[in-house]
Amino acid sequence: MKKFTAAQALSYLLLLVAAVMVLYPVVYSLFMSVMSQAEASAYPPSLFPHTFHLANMQEVFHIVPIAVFIGNTFLVSAIVMVGQLLTSSLAAYAFAKMEFKGKGLMFSLFVATMMVPWEVTMIPNYLTVRGLDWLDTYQGLTLPFLATAFGTFMLRQFFLQIPKELFEAAKMDGCGHFRYFLLHMLPLSRPALGTLAVYSFLNMYNSYLWPLLITNSKPMRTIQIGISMLEFQETTSWNLVFAGITLAILPSLILLIFGLKQLVRGMAAGALKG
């Protein structure tokens, strides 16, 4: 039987503490979502629920159209995910496998945009969307996010690991760049594409500021804004707020559980070559 050393035991203990610290906010949200209003507002707060009010979930649906909000968020996140996969994979292939003048400089400038905070580009993006009369539309919600420098950088690093000899062999069979990209490069890059898909979907699913800025009507709101509608100026029922939060995080948690394997494989594969 393998014996644990003191260093191993300490490392496991630290990992356990870190895991509890990371998971506790999620678990506490689940606990709060089933508490009664009096228990959720009590001071000092209860760490564990003494009652189970599953009707809180049902009441959230009566207060705000949360199903519409979740549907909007899924649609917007899916459009952004597909757009980023398309634009990033094409750009990454050009930077990784094609030769053209000024490629190094263009890629450096491209990557440098990752250093620009999103808040700096928010006003120009807003003015552009307003000029196109796309406020309170799905186009306005998705257009500024259809391309990402991070996704291009990550896929390029993965594409560089695929041997050049594979393209040379395909070229001898009459395969051009576009056909090679579709039939060979994309199937071989499924871990990296899966990673980018999960990352872009969750990133857009949790977006708050941009949807708040350009949407005005309830039918166009997303789930992150819908949760804030559960708070009122006079009083706030925290059990209902956390019930809304639980309903909001459940789809992303399910996606993360099913996509975690691809996410880890993609990150590990992308880290093999700089």
Side-chain angles (χ1 to χ4, degrees), residues 12 34 45 47-48 80 100 128 130 132-133 152 154 160 187 192 201 206 208 248 258 264 274:
Y12 280 116
V34 296
L47 296 180
F48 302 97
V80 169
F100 52 90
T128 302
R130 190 184 66 175
L132 294 170
D133 197 20
T152 303
M154 189 185 74
L160 287 175
F201 188 93
N206 294 319
Y208 175 79
F258 284 104
V264 173

Side-chain angles (χ1 to χ4, degrees), residues 10-32:
L10 180 61
S11 64
Y12 280 116
L13 180 62
L14 292 175
L15 288 173
L16 180 63
V17 171
V20 170
M21 291 175 66
V22 170
L23 290 176
Y24 185 73
V26 179
V27 176
Y28 187 66
S29 298
L30 295 174
F31 288 165
M32 284 285 286

Side-chain angles (χ1 to χ4, degrees), residues 119-139:
E119 288 77 9
V120 175
T121 61
M122 185 181 301
I123 298 302
N125 281 329
Y126 175 80
L127 295 176
T128 302
V129 169
R130 190 184 66 175
L132 294 170
D133 197 20
W134 282 355
L135 292 179
D136 213 28
T137 64
Y138 290 116
Q139 303 94 298

